[in-house]
Amino acid sequence: MNYNTYTLRNFSDLPQVKSSLSAEKINEIRVVGNVLPFKVNNYVVEKLIDWSNLSNDSIFHLTFPQKEMLSPKHYREIDNALNGSYSKFELNAVINKIRYELNPHPAGQKDNIPLLGSYKLSGIQHKYKETVLFFPSHSQSCHAYCTFCFRWPQFVGVNDLRFAMNDTSLLINYLKEHPEVTDVLFTGGDPLVMSAKKLKEYIDPLLDADLPNLQNIRIGTKVLSYWPYRFINDEDADDLLRFFEKIVNSGVHLAFMAHFSHPKELKTTEVETAIKRILRTGAVIRTQSPVMNHINNSADIWAEMLRLQVNLGCIPYYMFVARNTGAQDYFAITLEQAWKIFRDAYKQVSGISRTIRGPVMSAYPGKIQILGVNEIGSKKYFNLRFIQGSNPDWVGKPFFAKYNPDAIWLTDLEPIDGKDKFFFERNI
Ligand SMILES: *Cc1c(COP(=O)(O)O)cnc(C)c1O
Ligand code: SF4
């Protein structure tokens, strides 16, 4: 299949859009798509979205901007600006103001920029001891965009909010100075928008440097959901697979961190073929996704997703809580709901699928898992645990928070026993 993309510019040319969406709905997409990222492709449109049942279609809500994703106030501002006599400059000012108000850089992401000597490595994040995140400058986009994505400032061109780095040699020097780092996680955007040739330019020097500490290379990607042809009949599909083999044969564990939001993404013959081809290279596929309203807010959806993933040879890894940014009101569910979905899905599947951990908030102090709600005496508490901590000593530590049925994020929680701070808040 040839890769065709659709954005604000041309989506209304799609026959599916013409026959299934009203003029009003098309205008809504246009309004919201001016703020949130919007890009789909022919695979998503033809194979994933069910155009006969859009109001219940998770992939439609995952990729097409919806009116309710903006507050009524923001929606009106953009609608007025688009239909008024604004200059391009004035329109951009309105759009950018709203983008900033949507909190594009949550959880202190910009605070984890490491130094090499006095040189700031702005394409690297080193938050947890063992793992460095690397943002190649050539992976600042994806094959389609998720409307909930917290990485969106990178795609919509809010320049001063972008990370990205060109030069692997700086990463290599950093790894030499940090022997505690065992994992490099390539992220973006989606690193697999890169050609095999580009990807090699980033990864080959890393292999050639023969770093004794480097054990795992991970690639965070949604390519299996949005463009499985990357491994089937894209021009360099075979080159890419051979390169995976080379990485594995060099003695490094190659982990695909595959983002799957819904069972639909696992049911096409294309994704099945793509997964088989990747696994044959010796790479391992681990799966993760946020749990979100309108997308996958039910235990049955998750249980089905876990079964399909294991059936296809993938290893379930994380269920995330949707982050506090962008269209959060639209996608958010409470921490208690997230935990109930997790538990009811976990109960339904065999131990082989219970490698999934969650629900997890990737928050400022670390990755925090909601273990559940405990009732002690007549009082309820949240029981939580650090899976990753900016202080390694916090990892594995369980703790309690006051029960709050409306909490949707860590910042909505309070410590118990009359304390005004959690133990991990003392030094930050
Ligand atoms: C999730 C994450 C990692 C990887 O953590 P693992 O628990 O090893 O999967 C690394 N860095 C950051 C910033 C993360 O959010
Ligand atoms: S594929 Fe990942 S990085 Fe790309 S838009 Fe979706 S969530 Fe964001």
Side-chain angles (χ1 to χ4, degrees), residues 103-166:
N103 184 21
H105 253 282
Q109 283 187 51
K110 276 278 173 189
D111 298 350
N112 298 301
I113 298 171
L115 294 173
L116 191 65
S118 61
Y119 192 85
K120 263 195 164 176
L121 303 176
S122 65
I124 293 181
Q125 244 189 71
H126 189 189
K127 180 167 170 182
Y128 308 134
K129 195 175 98 213
E130 334 72 37
T131 305
V132 157
L133 265 49
F134 184 60
F135 298 78
S137 53
H138 295 89
S139 69
Q140 301 305 307
S141 68
C142 308
H143 293 89
Y145 291 146
C146 311
T147 42
F148 70 84
C149 184
F150 67 92
R151 294 262 160 84
W152 58 272
Q154 288 161 248
F155 314 139
V156 294
V158 183
N159 276 330
D160 57 336
L161 296 177
R162 288 193 210 203
F163 316 103
M165 198 166 87
N166 224 323

Side-chain angles (χ1 to χ4, degrees), residues 40-56:
V40 285
N41 63 52
N42 43 333
Y43 173 76
V44 174
V45 168
E46 291 167 28
K47 309 272 173 154
L48 297 185
I49 295 176
D50 175 3
W51 291 88
S52 66
N53 187 13
L54 288 181
S55 60
N56 289 320

Side-chain angles (χ1 to χ4, degrees), residues 112 125-128 130-133 183 185 218 257 288 317-318 320 323 357 362 367 387-388:
N112 298 301
Q125 244 189 71
H126 189 189
K127 180 167 170 182
Y128 308 134
E130 334 72 37
T131 305
V132 157
L133 265 49
D183 290 40
L185 199 167
R218 309 193 212 180
M257 311 305 289
Q288 55 192 32
Y317 194 63
Y318 277 136
F320 290 115
R323 239 174 217 260
R357 289 165 302 162
S362 202
K367 280 199 170 68
I387 284 183
Q388 279 290 7

Side-chain angles (χ1 to χ4, degrees), residues 293-407:
N293 203 3
H294 303 286
I295 308 290
N296 55 23
N297 58 336
S298 98
D300 290 351
I301 289 178
W302 278 85
E304 187 186 9
M305 199 151 62
L306 295 174
R307 278 191 217 104
L308 286 167
Q309 287 167 356
V310 167
N311 187 260
L312 292 167
C314 306
I315 302 172
Y317 194 63
Y318 277 136
M319 173 200 272
F320 290 115
V321 177
R323 239 174 217 260
N324 50 345
T325 182
Q328 198 200 21
D329 291 347
Y330 186 80
F331 291 114
I333 59 174
T334 66
L335 298 181
E336 185 172 25
Q337 279 172 317
W339 163 63
K340 285 188 169 152
I341 290 169
F342 180 86
R343 180 164 176 249
D344 289 343
Y346 198 79
K347 278 196 296 197
Q348 290 184 42
V349 295
S350 92
I352 294 281
S353 297
R354 291 186 193 164
T355 48
I356 187 165
R357 289 165 302 162
V360 170
M361 291 176 276
S362 202
Y364 187 70
K367 280 199 170 68
I368 296 175
Q369 180 181 15
I370 299 125
L371 292 171
V373 176
N374 280 80
E375 227 171 308
I376 303 172
S378 61
K379 280 192 113 169
K380 283 181 171 182
Y381 302 90
F382 273 119
N383 192 345
L384 305 118
R385 171 172 88 116
F386 271 90
I387 284 183
Q388 279 290 7
S390 54
N391 177 344
D393 193 44
W394 298 340
V395 176
K397 230 175 182 170
F399 63 99
F400 284 108
K402 281 185 192 158
Y403 175 64
N404 171 0
D406 301 321

Side-chain angles (χ1 to χ4, degrees), residues 159-182:
N159 276 330
D160 57 336
L161 296 177
R162 288 193 210 203
F163 316 103
M165 198 166 87
N166 224 323
D167 195 348
T168 315
S169 64
L170 292 171
L171 173 65
I172 291 170
N173 289 340
Y174 187 79
L175 294 177
K176 282 183 180 156
E177 286 186 11
H178 292 270
E180 73 279 13
V181 177
T182 55

Side-chain angles (χ1 to χ4, degrees), residues 61-323:
H61 291 249
L62 182 67
T63 52
F64 279 76
Q66 308 289 320
K67 184 175 189 189
E68 298 75 20
M69 289 176 185
L70 291 183
S71 68
K73 177 174 165 286
H74 284 159
Y75 186 89
R76 259 193 322 272
E77 281 176 358
I78 296 286
D79 200 16
N80 291 342
L82 285 173
N83 294 313
S85 54
Y86 282 58
S87 68
K88 198 156 174 53
F89 181 81
E90 288 165 324
L91 177 64
N92 281 339
V94 176
I95 291 170
N96 284 330
K97 179 194 77 104
I98 293 175
R99 285 181 181 154
Y100 275 93
E101 286 174 15
L102 292 174
N103 184 21
H105 253 282
Q109 283 187 51
K110 276 278 173 189
D111 298 350
N112 298 301
I113 298 171
L115 294 173
L116 191 65
S118 61
Y119 192 85
K120 263 195 164 176
L121 303 176
S122 65
I124 293 181
Q125 244 189 71
H126 189 189
K127 180 167 170 182
Y128 308 134
K129 195 175 98 213
E130 334 72 37
T131 305
V132 157
L133 265 49
F134 184 60
F135 298 78
S137 53
H138 295 89
S139 69
Q140 301 305 307
S141 68
C142 308
H143 293 89
Y145 291 146
C146 311
T147 42
F148 70 84
C149 184
F150 67 92
R151 294 262 160 84
W152 58 272
Q154 288 161 248
F155 314 139
V156 294
V158 183
N159 276 330
D160 57 336
L161 296 177
R162 288 193 210 203
F163 316 103
M165 198 166 87
N166 224 323
D167 195 348
T168 315
S169 64
L170 292 171
L171 173 65
I172 291 170
N173 289 340
Y174 187 79
L175 294 177
K176 282 183 180 156
E177 286 186 11
H178 292 270
E180 73 279 13
V181 177
T182 55
D183 290 40
V184 175
L185 199 167
F186 286 82
T187 182
D190 190 330
L192 291 175
V193 295
M194 285 192 270
S195 65
K197 184 168 170 283
K198 262 284 163 255
L199 195 69
K200 281 183 207 173
E201 283 172 22
Y202 281 104
I203 297 183
D204 264 335
L206 208 53
L207 301 180
D208 293 342
D210 208 12
L211 302 159
N213 46 326
L214 181 66
Q215 288 173 19
N216 309 307
I217 291 180
R218 309 193 212 180
I219 301 177
T221 176
K222 198 168 170 65
V223 68
L224 282 167
S225 299
Y226 283 161
W227 194 251
Y229 306 104
R230 189 76 197 81
F231 310 97
I232 305 171
N233 48 20
D234 267 10
E235 208 178 3
D236 62 351
D238 291 339
D239 283 351
L240 184 63
L241 292 166
R242 272 197 299 272
F243 184 53
F244 289 173
E245 254 165 37
K246 179 185 168 183
I247 297 174
V248 172
N249 289 337
S250 79
V252 171
H253 175 84
L254 177 60
F256 236 75
M257 311 305 289
H259 173 192
F260 287 111
S261 319
H262 195 274
K264 277 182 149 194
E265 299 166 335
L266 292 148
K267 286 180 178 168
T268 67
T269 50
E270 288 87 347
V271 77
E272 201 177 310
T273 305
I275 288 174
K276 276 193 192 134
R277 299 188 114 207
I278 293 166
L279 293 180
R280 248 182 258 137
T281 69
V284 170
I285 304 174
R286 295 177 211 277
T287 57
Q288 55 192 32
S289 169
V291 54
M292 288 172 297
N293 203 3
H294 303 286
I295 308 290
N296 55 23
N297 58 336
S298 98
D300 290 351
I301 289 178
W302 278 85
E304 187 186 9
M305 199 151 62
L306 295 174
R307 278 191 217 104
L308 286 167
Q309 287 167 356
V310 167
N311 187 260
L312 292 167
C314 306
I315 302 172
Y317 194 63
Y318 277 136
M319 173 200 272
F320 290 115
V321 177
R323 239 174 217 260

